[in-house]
Amino acid sequence: MTGLYEPLFRHVLFPAYESGLRGRKTLSYLREYERQQWLEPEQIDALQWQKLQQLIRHCWDQVPYYRETWSALGISAPDDIRDLAHFARLPVLDKPTIRANFDRLIADPYRQDLLYKTTGGSTGEPLKFGYTRESYERRVAVMWRGYGWAGARLGQRTLYLWGTPIGAQKRKDRLYHSAFNRCMLNAFEMDRARMAEYADAIDRFRPETIVSYVAPIVEMADWLIASGRRVHAPVRILGAAEALHASQKQRIEQAFGAPAYNTYGCREFMLIAAECEHRDGLHVNADHLVVELGHGDGAVADGPRELVVSDLHNYGMPLLRYVNGDLATPGHGRCACGRGLPRLASVDGRKLDALRTPDGRFVPGEYIVYAFLAATGVRRYQVVQKQLDAFEILIVRDEGFDPSVIELVRRELVKVVGDSVALDFRFTDEIPLTPTGKQRVTVSELRG
């Protein structure tokens, strides 16, 4: 039945739901992107510039922030931005700038129909941003294309070790995931005492694909190796939310008996890059985004550089030259797969440490992001662990800070750590950056 369900879902059930019932164009966009990936690099560059030119003109006509910012630089018309090299000299957009100019970054014709999302991101600076329905549908299409490079497909039996929504999972969510042929395991509730329970769930579901935050799947791999437990071997494992390093890949593959693939994305854009079957760097979705690698202080030609990303299809609240705080190393040459998309050699800047508790629990950095998503009036935050039974939670307050945020965050953290960890909230005027210039959400100073 498993072998029959995947093509039935992909060719009949999902099109009927996505295109027929929901009226979305996701599958049409997916077919478009699947064709474009095989274009020659020069053709992809030309397509990208054509899309970017159209977006620049739209921003000049409809987005006050860009028209005013560019005019102040002496630009008198959108065509003055002559090529990608000129575009790359325009000011970058960061989270403080977006918060300060939120309303002026919205294009009036799209204002009433915008969708909104909040991100904490790996830099720990909460941000609300808007995006259009077309942008969302294209992002989903790009995600499925990228996962498909590793062989993961719609309707395939997939287990997610993921951040399920805080609170009880609703019945309709369970039905939805069941229809998609996937099992959701809450990464935030996994601890060493429950590893066998999670391993049993994998054996029961017998997934072809596992998609997981990097920290939890590495923890499970280490437990499997140490305990000698063998679980059902999937065909592939996709790591997400953090960089998957070579040593971690090796441990995952040893424990699960399946190849591990690296993916990279963020809430602002969803999937940015992913590995294909050759696992020789991550293909950048250059027909959907403009991804630049900046030359900040200390950058070297083949070393980590600051990522600068522009969404080519979000006409409602365009994010042009957005700096998300991550670093990446450029790739070189063309992949043996034949795709014309450029590559990143690695993603280097995601520094979300896993925090630990005395009873063996570990808390992925992504959970801290989730815990702060609803926190208003917080400019930055960081959780520091210097001893096993205590978290120091640093908060930089912003305008509109509500003291009730402390209890909101405390409640969400207690759901995971219980009473085994003291939560010490402290206000500070600033949070120090790492040597690479990043603001980390979590810092573990524990040894071992």
Side-chain angles (χ1 to χ4, degrees):
M1 179 65 183
T2 300
L4 294 175
Y5 187 79
E6 182 188 324
L8 175 66
F9 180 84
R10 192 164 69 249
H11 298 299
V12 180
L13 299 179
F14 186 69
Y17 170 79
E18 190 76 357
S19 304
L21 183 62
R22 302 305 298 270
R24 295 172 176 163
K25 298 180 180 179
T26 309
L27 290 172
S28 173
Y29 296 140
L30 178 57
R31 289 189 292 270
E32 173 188 324
Y33 286 124
E34 285 179 335
R35 289 193 303 269
Q36 289 170 182
Q37 67 184 335
W38 301 110
L39 294 174
E40 292 298 312
E42 297 79 8
Q43 293 175 298
I44 292 176
D45 289 345
L47 175 64
Q48 182 189 69
W49 175 239
Q50 179 186 10
K51 289 183 176 184
L52 182 58
Q53 280 182 303
Q54 293 172 355
L55 182 58
I56 289 170
R57 293 188 187 106
H58 167 76
C59 288
W60 181 267
D61 292 336
Q62 303 293 345
V63 185
Y65 171 80
Y66 291 114
R67 183 171 59 251
E68 294 165 14
T69 301
W70 297 343
S71 294
L73 297 173
I75 295 171
S76 58
D79 289 343
D80 288 349
I81 303 173
R82 300 178 298 276
D83 52 30
L84 196 58
H86 190 193
F87 175 75
R89 294 196 294 272
L90 297 176
V92 296
L93 190 69
D94 58 17
K95 290 180 179 180
T97 303
I98 292 173
R99 287 195 295 270
N101 298 276
F102 187 88
D103 191 65
R104 297 192 306 128
L105 279 161
I106 295 174
D108 272 333
Y110 294 85
R111 187 179 298 273
Q112 298 304 315
D113 298 319
L114 274 187
L115 306 171
Y116 292 94
K117 187 182 288 187
T118 301
T119 175
S122 60
T123 59
E125 299 175 75
L127 177 72
K128 179 182 177 182
F129 61 94
Y131 57 99
T132 62
R133 173 174 169 170
E134 177 184 346
S135 175
Y136 171 76
E137 292 167 2
R138 285 183 174 275
R139 293 173 187 197
V140 173
V142 163
M143 180 195 72
W144 282 116
R145 180 180 71 170
Y147 282 12
W149 295 336
R153 298 182 298 272
L154 276 164
Q156 194 173 76
R157 202 164 182 81
T158 303
L159 183 141
Y160 285 80
L161 186 54
W162 207 246
T164 60
I166 293 171
Q169 190 178 14
K170 296 179 180 178
R171 182 172 180 270
K172 69 177 183 179
D173 293 332
R174 293 195 295 271
L175 292 173
Y176 178 79
H177 293 311
S178 178
F180 271 77
N181 206 14
R182 60 194 179 199
C183 173
M184 305 295 292
L185 298 183
N186 193 336
F188 303 149
E189 295 178 352
M190 190 176 78
D191 58 62
R192 291 188 180 278
R194 298 184 64 188
M195 285 291 186
E197 179 185 333
Y198 278 67
D200 290 344
I202 293 173
D203 281 337
R204 284 194 304 272
F205 189 69
R206 302 181 66 80
E208 291 180 70
T209 297
I210 293 177
V211 180
S212 175
Y213 293 148
V214 168
I217 199 68
V218 170
E219 286 284 339
M220 175 165 274
D222 289 342
W223 179 85
L224 290 171
I225 293 169
S227 66
R229 169 76 186 264
R230 304 298 298 178
V231 294
H232 166 77
V235 179
R236 65 195 62 81
I237 296 174
L238 276 63
E242 300 171 69
L244 179 60
H245 301 295
S247 62
Q248 296 171 321
K249 271 190 178 184
Q250 184 178 14
R251 283 142 60 196
I252 291 171
E253 292 173 357
Q254 177 186 347
F256 288 91
Y261 295 83
N262 205 352
T263 71
Y264 170 63
C266 62
R267 285 177 67 86
E268 294 92 330
F269 305 108
M270 290 179 61
L271 190 69
I272 293 172
E275 287 186 314
C276 73
E277 61 271 26
H278 293 279
R279 296 194 294 168
D280 183 19
L282 294 82
H283 287 285
V284 176
N285 293 309
D287 50 347
H288 176 69
L289 305 165
V290 177
V291 177
E292 308 166 54
L293 293 181
H295 297 269
D297 294 340
V300 295
D302 291 315
R305 306 182 199 168
E306 190 173 42
L307 275 158
V308 185
V309 187
S310 304
D311 187 333
L312 292 169
H313 294 281
N314 183 7
Y315 275 58
M317 187 175 177
L319 300 183
L320 295 186
R321 308 211 68 234
Y322 174 69
V323 179
N324 70 356
D326 290 336
L327 305 173
T329 299
H332 300 286
R334 189 162 180 179
C335 183
C337 71
R339 294 178 178 89
L341 298 167
R343 288 175 296 162
L344 302 175
S346 62
V347 177
D348 310 291
R350 314 205 81 172
K351 303 293 185 181
L352 301 183
D353 292 347
L355 305 174
R356 297 181 180 276
T357 64
D359 58 1
R361 295 172 180 265
F362 66 94
V363 184
E366 283 294 315
Y367 185 81
I368 305 302
V369 173
Y370 270 71
F372 272 88
L373 280 182
T376 57
V378 175
R379 183 163 64 87
R380 290 184 182 173
Y381 55 85
Q382 185 181 78
V383 180
V384 179
Q385 185 172 27
K386 298 178 181 179
Q387 58 192 61
L388 196 57
D389 61 353
F391 290 172
E392 182 177 292
I393 302 153
L394 304 176
I395 292 177
V396 179
R397 290 169 287 188
D398 206 349
E399 294 180 4
F401 175 78
D402 186 340
S404 66
V405 161
I406 301 298
E407 288 310 309
L408 181 151
V409 174
R410 186 189 299 276
R411 286 196 302 271
E412 299 305 341
L413 292 178
V414 167
K415 289 178 184 178
V416 175
V417 304
D419 297 324
S420 63
V421 175
L423 303 176
D424 182 14
F425 288 82
R426 299 185 183 184
F427 298 123
T428 181
D429 292 331
E430 196 49 78
I431 293 174
L433 301 176
T434 68
T436 58
K438 283 208 62 177
Q439 180 67 57
R440 293 162 66 179
V441 169
T442 57
V443 175
S444 176
E445 298 182 4
L446 300 179
R447 294 186 177 182

